[in-house]
Coordinates of all heavy atoms in Angstrom, one line a residue:
P106 N 114.8 175.1 296.7 CA 114.4 175.7 298.0 C 113.2 176.5 297.8 O 113.0 177.3 296.9 CB 115.6 176.5 298.4 CG 116.7 176.3 297.5 CD 116.2 175.5 296.3
A107 N 112.3 176.4 298.8 CA 111.0 177.1 298.8 C 111.1 178.5 299.4 O 110.2 179.2 299.4 CB 110.0 176.3 299.5
G108 N 112.3 178.9 299.8 CA 112.5 180.2 300.4 C 112.6 180.1 301.9 O 112.6 179.0 302.5
P109 N 112.8 181.2 302.6 CA 113.1 181.1 304.0 C 111.8 180.6 304.8 O 110.7 181.0 304.4 CB 113.4 182.6 304.4 CG 112.9 183.4 303.3 CD 112.9 182.5 302.1
R110 N 112.0 179.9 305.8 CA 110.9 179.4 306.6 C 110.5 180.5 307.6 O 111.4 181.1 308.2 CB 111.3 178.1 307.4 CG 111.4 176.9 306.4 CD 111.8 175.7 307.2 NE 110.6 175.4 308.1 CZ 110.6 174.4 308.9 NH1 111.7 173.7 309.1 NH2 109.5 174.1 309.6
K111 N 109.2 180.6 307.8 CA 108.7 181.6 308.7 C 108.5 180.9 310.1 O 107.9 179.8 310.1 CB 107.4 182.2 308.3 CG 107.0 183.4 309.0 CD 105.9 184.1 308.3 CE 105.8 185.5 308.9 NZ 104.9 186.4 308.1
S112 N 109.0 181.4 311.1 CA 108.9 180.7 312.4 C 107.7 181.4 313.2 O 107.5 182.6 313.1 CB 110.1 180.8 313.2 OG 110.4 182.1 313.6
F113 N 107.0 180.6 313.9 CA 105.9 181.0 314.7 C 106.2 180.6 316.2 O 106.8 179.6 316.4 CB 104.6 180.4 314.3 CG 104.1 180.8 312.9 CD1 104.3 180.0 311.8 CD2 103.5 182.0 312.7 CE1 103.9 180.4 310.6 CE2 103.0 182.4 311.5 CZ 103.3 181.6 310.4
Q114 N 105.7 181.4 317.0 CA 105.8 181.1 318.5 C 104.4 180.7 318.9 O 103.4 181.3 318.5 CB 106.2 182.4 319.2 CG 106.4 182.1 320.7 CD 106.9 183.4 321.4 OE1 106.6 184.5 320.9 NE2 107.7 183.2 322.4
S115 N 104.3 179.6 319.7 CA 103.0 179.2 320.2 C 103.0 179.3 321.8 O 104.0 179.0 322.4 CB 102.8 177.7 319.9 OG 102.7 177.6 318.5
V116 N 101.9 179.8 322.3 CA 101.7 180.0 323.7 C 100.4 179.4 324.2 O 99.4 179.7 323.6 CB 101.8 181.6 324.0 CG1 101.6 181.8 325.5 CG2 103.0 182.2 323.5
L117 N 100.5 178.7 325.3 CA 99.3 178.1 325.9 C 99.1 178.8 327.3 O 100.0 178.7 328.1 CB 99.4 176.6 326.0 CG 98.3 176.0 326.9 CD1 96.9 176.2 326.2 CD2 98.6 174.5 327.1
I118 N 98.0 179.5 327.5 CA 97.8 180.1 328.7 C 96.6 179.4 329.4 O 95.5 179.3 328.9 CB 97.3 181.6 328.5 CG1 98.4 182.4 327.7 CG2 97.0 182.3 329.9 CD1 99.6 182.8 328.4
T119 N 96.9 178.9 330.6 CA 95.8 178.3 331.4 C 95.3 179.3 332.4 O 96.1 180.2 332.9 CB 96.3 177.0 332.1 OG1 97.4 177.4 333.0 CG2 96.7 176.0 331.2
G120 N 94.0 179.3 332.8 CA 93.5 180.3 333.7 C 93.5 181.7 333.1 O 93.7 182.7 333.7
G121 N 93.2 181.7 331.7 CA 93.4 183.0 331.0 C 92.1 183.9 331.0 O 92.2 184.9 330.3
S122 N 91.1 183.5 331.7 CA 89.9 184.3 331.6 C 89.9 185.6 332.5 O 89.1 186.5 332.3 CB 88.6 183.5 332.0 OG 88.8 183.0 333.3
S123 N 90.9 185.7 333.4 CA 91.0 186.9 334.2 C 92.4 186.9 334.8 O 93.2 186.0 334.7 CB 90.0 186.9 335.3 OG 90.1 185.8 336.2
G124 N 92.7 188.0 335.5 CA 93.9 188.2 336.3 C 95.2 188.0 335.5 O 95.3 188.5 334.4
L125 N 96.1 187.3 336.1 CA 97.4 187.1 335.5 C 97.4 186.4 334.2 O 98.1 186.8 333.3 CB 98.3 186.4 336.5 CG 99.8 186.2 336.1 CD1 100.5 187.5 335.8 CD2 100.5 185.4 337.1
G126 N 96.5 185.4 334.1 CA 96.4 184.7 332.8 C 96.0 185.6 331.7 O 96.6 185.5 330.6
A127 N 95.0 186.4 331.9 CA 94.5 187.4 330.9 C 95.6 188.4 330.5 O 95.8 188.7 329.4 CB 93.3 188.1 331.4
A128 N 96.3 188.9 331.6 CA 97.4 189.8 331.3 C 98.5 189.2 330.5 O 99.1 189.8 329.6 CB 98.0 190.3 332.6
L129 N 98.9 187.9 330.8 CA 99.9 187.2 330.0 C 99.5 187.0 328.6 O 100.3 187.2 327.7 CB 100.2 185.9 330.7 CG 101.1 186.0 332.0 CD1 101.1 184.6 332.6 CD2 102.5 186.5 331.7
A130 N 98.2 186.7 328.4 CA 97.8 186.5 327.0 C 97.9 187.8 326.2 O 98.4 187.7 325.1 CB 96.3 186.1 327.0
E131 N 97.5 188.9 326.8 CA 97.7 190.2 326.1 C 99.2 190.5 325.9 O 99.5 191.1 324.9 CB 96.9 191.3 326.8 CG 95.4 191.1 326.6 CD 94.6 192.3 327.1 OE1 95.0 193.4 326.7 OE2 93.6 192.1 327.8
A132 N 100.0 190.2 326.9 CA 101.4 190.5 326.8 C 102.1 189.8 325.7 O 103.0 190.3 325.0 CB 102.1 190.3 328.1
F133 N 101.7 188.5 325.5 CA 102.3 187.7 324.4 C 101.7 188.0 323.0 O 102.3 187.6 322.0 CB 102.1 186.2 324.7 CG 103.1 185.6 325.7 CD1 102.7 185.3 327.0 CD2 104.4 185.4 325.3 CE1 103.6 184.8 327.9 CE2 105.3 184.9 326.2 CZ 104.9 184.6 327.5
A134 N 100.6 188.6 323.0 CA 99.9 188.9 321.7 C 100.7 189.8 320.8 O 101.0 191.0 321.2 CB 98.5 189.4 321.9
K135 N 101.2 189.3 319.7 CA 101.9 190.1 318.7 C 101.9 189.3 317.4 O 101.5 188.1 317.4 CB 103.3 190.5 319.1 CG 104.2 189.3 319.4 CD 105.5 189.7 319.9 CE 106.4 188.5 320.2 NZ 107.6 188.9 320.8
P136 N 102.2 189.9 316.3 CA 102.2 189.2 315.0 C 103.0 187.9 315.0 O 104.1 187.9 315.7 CB 102.7 190.2 314.0 CG 102.4 191.6 314.6 CD 102.5 191.4 316.1
D137 N 102.6 186.9 314.4 CA 103.2 185.6 314.2 C 103.3 184.8 315.5 O 104.1 183.9 315.7 CB 104.7 185.8 313.7 CG 104.7 186.4 312.3 OD1 103.7 186.1 311.6 OD2 105.6 187.0 311.9
V138 N 102.4 185.1 316.5 CA 102.3 184.4 317.7 C 100.9 183.7 317.7 O 99.9 184.3 317.4 CB 102.4 185.3 318.9 CG1 102.1 184.5 320.2 CG2 103.8 185.9 319.0
H139 N 100.9 182.4 318.0 CA 99.6 181.6 318.1 C 99.4 181.5 319.6 O 100.2 181.1 320.4 CB 99.8 180.2 317.5 CG 100.0 180.2 316.1 ND1 99.1 179.8 315.2 CD2 101.1 180.6 315.3 CE1 99.5 179.9 314.0 NE2 100.8 180.4 314.0
I140 N 98.2 181.9 320.0 CA 97.8 181.9 321.5 C 96.6 181.0 321.7 O 95.6 181.2 321.0 CB 97.6 183.3 322.0 CG1 98.8 184.2 321.8 CG2 97.2 183.2 323.5 CD1 98.6 185.6 322.2
A141 N 96.7 180.1 322.6 CA 95.5 179.3 323.1 C 95.3 179.7 324.5 O 96.2 179.6 325.3 CB 95.8 177.8 322.9
I142 N 94.1 180.1 324.8 CA 93.7 180.6 326.1 C 92.7 179.7 326.7 O 91.6 179.5 326.1 CB 93.1 182.0 326.1 CG1 94.0 182.9 325.2 CG2 92.9 182.6 327.5 CD1 93.4 184.2 324.8
T143 N 92.9 179.1 327.9 CA 92.0 178.2 328.5 C 91.5 178.7 329.8 O 92.2 179.5 330.4 CB 92.5 176.8 328.7 OG1 93.6 176.9 329.7 CG2 93.1 176.1 327.5
G144 N 90.3 178.4 330.2 CA 89.7 178.8 331.4 C 88.2 178.3 331.5 O 87.8 177.6 330.5
R145 N 87.6 178.5 332.6 CA 86.2 178.0 332.8 C 85.1 178.9 332.3 O 84.0 178.4 332.0 CB 86.0 177.7 334.2 CG 86.8 176.5 334.7 CD 86.7 176.3 336.2 NE 87.3 177.4 336.9 CZ 87.4 177.6 338.2 NH1 86.8 176.7 338.9 NH2 88.0 178.6 338.7
N146 N 85.4 180.2 332.1 CA 84.3 181.1 331.7 C 84.4 181.5 330.2 O 85.3 182.3 329.9 CB 84.4 182.4 332.6 CG 83.2 183.3 332.4 OD1 83.0 183.7 331.3 ND2 82.6 183.7 333.5
R147 N 83.6 180.9 329.4 CA 83.6 181.2 327.9 C 83.5 182.7 327.6 O 84.3 183.2 326.8 CB 82.5 180.4 327.2 CG 82.5 180.7 325.7 CD 81.4 180.0 325.0 NE 81.4 178.6 325.1 CZ 82.0 177.8 324.2 NH1 82.7 178.4 323.2 NH2 82.1 176.5 324.3
Q148 N 82.6 183.4 328.2 CA 82.4 184.8 327.9 C 83.7 185.6 328.2 O 84.1 186.4 327.4 CB 81.2 185.4 328.6 CG 80.9 186.8 328.3 CD 79.7 187.3 329.0 OE1 79.0 186.6 329.7 NE2 79.4 188.6 328.8
R149 N 84.3 185.4 329.3 CA 85.5 186.2 329.7 C 86.7 185.8 328.8 O 87.5 186.6 328.4 CB 85.8 186.0 331.1 CG 84.9 186.8 332.0 CD 85.3 186.9 333.4 NE 85.5 185.6 334.0 CZ 85.6 185.4 335.3 NH1 85.5 186.3 336.2 NH2 85.8 184.1 335.8
L150 N 86.7 184.5 328.4 CA 87.8 184.0 327.5 C 87.7 184.8 326.2 O 88.7 185.2 325.6 CB 87.7 182.5 327.3 CG 88.2 181.6 328.4 CD1 87.9 180.2 328.1 CD2 89.7 181.8 328.6
E151 N 86.5 184.9 325.7 CA 86.3 185.6 324.4 C 86.6 187.1 324.5 O 87.1 187.7 323.6 CB 84.8 185.4 323.9 CG 84.6 183.9 323.5 CD 83.1 183.6 323.2 OE1 82.3 184.5 323.4 OE2 82.9 182.5 322.7
E152 N 86.4 187.7 325.7 CA 86.8 189.1 325.9 C 88.3 189.2 325.9 O 88.8 190.2 325.5 CB 86.2 189.6 327.2 CG 84.6 189.7 327.2 CD 84.0 190.0 328.5 OE1 84.8 190.2 329.5 OE2 82.8 189.9 328.6
V153 N 89.0 188.2 326.4 CA 90.5 188.3 326.4 C 91.0 188.0 325.0 O 92.0 188.6 324.6 CB 91.1 187.2 327.4 CG1 92.6 187.1 327.3 CG2 90.6 187.6 328.8
E154 N 90.3 187.2 324.3 CA 90.7 186.8 322.9 C 90.7 188.0 322.0 O 91.6 188.2 321.1 CB 89.8 185.7 322.4 CG 90.0 185.3 321.0 CD 89.0 184.3 320.5 OE1 87.9 184.3 321.0 OE2 89.4 183.5 319.7
K155 N 89.7 188.9 322.1 CA 89.6 190.1 321.2 C 90.8 191.0 321.2 O 91.3 191.3 320.1 CB 88.3 190.8 321.5 CG 87.0 190.1 321.2 CD 85.8 190.9 321.6 CE 84.6 190.1 321.5 NZ 83.4 190.8 322.0
P156 N 91.3 191.5 322.3 CA 92.5 192.3 322.2 C 93.7 191.6 321.7 O 94.6 192.2 321.1 CB 92.6 192.9 323.6 CG 91.8 192.0 324.5 CD 90.8 191.4 323.7
C157 N 93.8 190.3 321.9 CA 94.9 189.6 321.4 C 94.9 189.6 319.9 O 96.0 189.8 319.3 CB 94.9 188.1 321.9 SG 95.2 188.0 323.7
K158 N 93.8 189.4 319.3 CA 93.6 189.4 317.9 C 93.9 190.8 317.4 O 94.6 191.0 316.3 CB 92.3 189.0 317.4 CG 92.1 187.5 317.6 CD 90.7 187.0 317.1 CE 90.6 185.5 317.1 NZ 89.2 185.1 316.7
A159 N 93.4 191.8 318.1 CA 93.6 193.2 317.7 C 95.1 193.6 317.7 O 95.5 194.5 316.9 CB 92.8 194.2 318.6
K160 N 95.9 193.0 318.6 CA 97.3 193.2 318.6 C 98.1 192.5 317.6 O 99.3 192.6 317.5 CB 97.9 192.8 320.0 CG 97.5 193.8 321.1 CD 98.2 193.3 322.4 CE 98.4 194.5 323.3 NZ 99.2 194.1 324.5
G161 N 97.4 191.7 316.7 CA 98.0 191.1 315.6 C 98.4 189.6 315.8 O 99.1 189.1 315.0
A162 N 97.9 189.0 316.9 CA 98.3 187.6 317.1 C 97.8 186.8 315.9 O 96.8 187.0 315.3 CB 97.6 187.0 318.4
K163 N 98.7 185.9 315.4 CA 98.4 185.1 314.2 C 97.1 184.3 314.4 O 96.3 184.2 313.6 CB 99.6 184.2 313.9 CG 99.4 183.4 312.7 CD 99.7 184.3 311.5 CE 99.7 183.4 310.2 NZ 99.7 184.2 309.0
R164 N 97.0 183.8 315.6 CA 95.8 183.1 315.9 C 95.6 183.1 317.4 O 96.5 182.9 318.2 CB 95.8 181.6 315.5 CG 94.6 180.8 315.9 CD 94.6 179.4 315.3 NE 94.5 179.5 313.8 CZ 94.9 178.6 313.0 NH1 95.3 177.4 313.5 NH2 94.8 178.7 311.7
A165 N 94.4 183.5 317.9 CA 94.1 183.5 319.3 C 92.8 182.7 319.4 O 91.8 183.0 318.8 CB 93.9 184.9 319.8
V166 N 92.9 181.7 320.2 CA 91.7 180.7 320.4 C 91.4 180.6 321.8 O 92.2 180.3 322.7 CB 92.1 179.3 319.8 CG1 90.9 178.4 320.0 CG2 92.6 179.4 318.4
A167 N 90.1 180.9 322.1 CA 89.6 180.7 323.5 C 89.0 179.3 323.6 O 88.2 178.9 322.9 CB 88.5 181.7 323.8
L168 N 89.6 178.6 324.6 CA 89.2 177.2 324.8 C 88.6 177.0 326.2 O 89.3 176.9 327.2 CB 90.4 176.2 324.6 CG 91.1 176.3 323.3 CD1 92.5 175.6 323.4 CD2 90.3 175.8 322.2
P169 N 87.2 177.0 326.3 CA 86.6 176.8 327.6 C 86.8 175.4 328.1 O 86.8 174.5 327.4 CB 85.1 177.1 327.4 CG 84.9 177.1 325.9 CD 86.2 177.2 325.2
V170 N 87.1 175.4 329.4 CA 87.3 174.1 330.1 C 86.4 173.9 331.2 O 86.2 174.8 332.1 CB 88.8 174.0 330.6 CG1 89.0 172.7 331.4 CG2 89.8 174.2 329.5
S171 N 85.7 172.8 331.3 CA 84.8 172.6 332.4 C 84.9 171.1 332.8 O 84.9 170.2 331.9 CB 83.3 172.9 332.1 OG 82.9 172.1 331.0
A172 N 85.1 170.9 334.0 CA 85.3 169.5 334.5 C 84.6 169.4 335.9 O 84.9 170.2 336.8 CB 86.7 169.1 334.6
P173 N 83.7 168.4 336.0 CA 83.0 168.3 337.3 C 84.0 167.7 338.3 O 84.8 166.8 338.0 CB 81.9 167.3 337.0 CG 82.3 166.5 335.8 CD 83.2 167.5 335.0
F174 N 84.0 168.2 339.5 CA 84.9 167.8 340.6 C 84.1 167.1 341.7 O 83.1 167.4 342.0 CB 85.7 168.9 341.2 CG 86.7 169.5 340.2 CD1 86.5 170.6 339.5 CD2 87.9 168.8 340.0 CE1 87.4 171.1 338.6 CE2 88.8 169.3 339.1 CZ 88.6 170.4 338.4

C-alpha cells in the first residue's frame, strides 16, 4: 500500500468575475480545493483568483470565456 489517499474537492464557478460568482469562489477557497473560475473579463477573473490562492486553494485557475453572439 502506498499510504492513505488524499482527497481533493474540485469546484467550477461560472460567471466568477464579479458578484455572486466571485463570492462563491472565495467562499470555496481553502486548502486541498481546486477551483476553476470562468467569466468574460480576464482582469477581474485574475483579481478573484488571487485571494483564492491566498486562502490556500490547491489550485485556482482563471479561465476567460469569450464567444461571439
Side-chain angles (χ1 to χ4, degrees):
R110 290 183 66 185
K111 194 166 192 171
S112 65
F113 294 98
Q114 184 178 30
S115 297
V116 179
L117 171 64
I118 305 286
T119 60
S122 59
S123 64
L125 182 59
L129 286 170
E131 289 192 45
F133 279 107
K135 60 184 176 183
D137 297 332
V138 174
H139 296 250
I140 301 175
I142 310 162
T143 66
R145 291 176 291 180
N146 186 307
R147 177 185 294 272
Q148 183 177 358
R149 288 193 301 199
L150 286 171
E151 290 171 355
E152 291 171 9
V153 173
E154 178 184 28
K155 289 176 189 176
C157 292
K158 287 182 176 178
K160 286 182 151 188
K163 185 73 174 173
R164 179 173 294 163
V166 180
L168 304 167
V170 177
S171 61
F174 290 101

